Amino acid sequence: MPNAPAIVTSLIVAVWIAAIAILTVQNASPISLKFLFFESIQLPVGVILAFSVVSGLLGAALFKPIAELVEGGAGKKQGRNP
């Protein structure tokens, strides 16, 4: 089954979206985040959760190519010369 990884990935993403949707409906009250002296505007929990998940996915997606660029030259040279 060559499509198995795509199916598993789709199922994982669907479960995450369903979990965010359930939490959003159950926690519709607005909250504000506090960090040191900073405080955000009041937003629903679902919006903050969705923003956190999206920023985490984008951060992970950008981290791998950047890490490969940083160590890419040394790794390729070592791979050619045993």
Side-chain angles (χ1 to χ4, degrees), residues 28-70:
S29 61
I31 63 167
S32 63
L33 297 177
K34 295 179 183 177
F35 179 71
L36 297 177
F37 301 110
F38 304 104
E39 185 174 350
S40 71
I41 61 172
Q42 290 193 345
L43 295 169
V45 175
V47 172
I48 294 174
L49 183 62
F51 179 73
S52 300
V53 169
V54 167
S55 62
L57 288 172
L58 289 175
L62 292 174
F63 177 74
K64 185 173 179 176
I66 291 172
E68 288 177 356
L69 283 175
V70 170

Side-chain angles (χ1 to χ4, degrees), residues 1-9:
M1 283 200 12
N3 293 333
I7 293 171
V8 172
T9 304

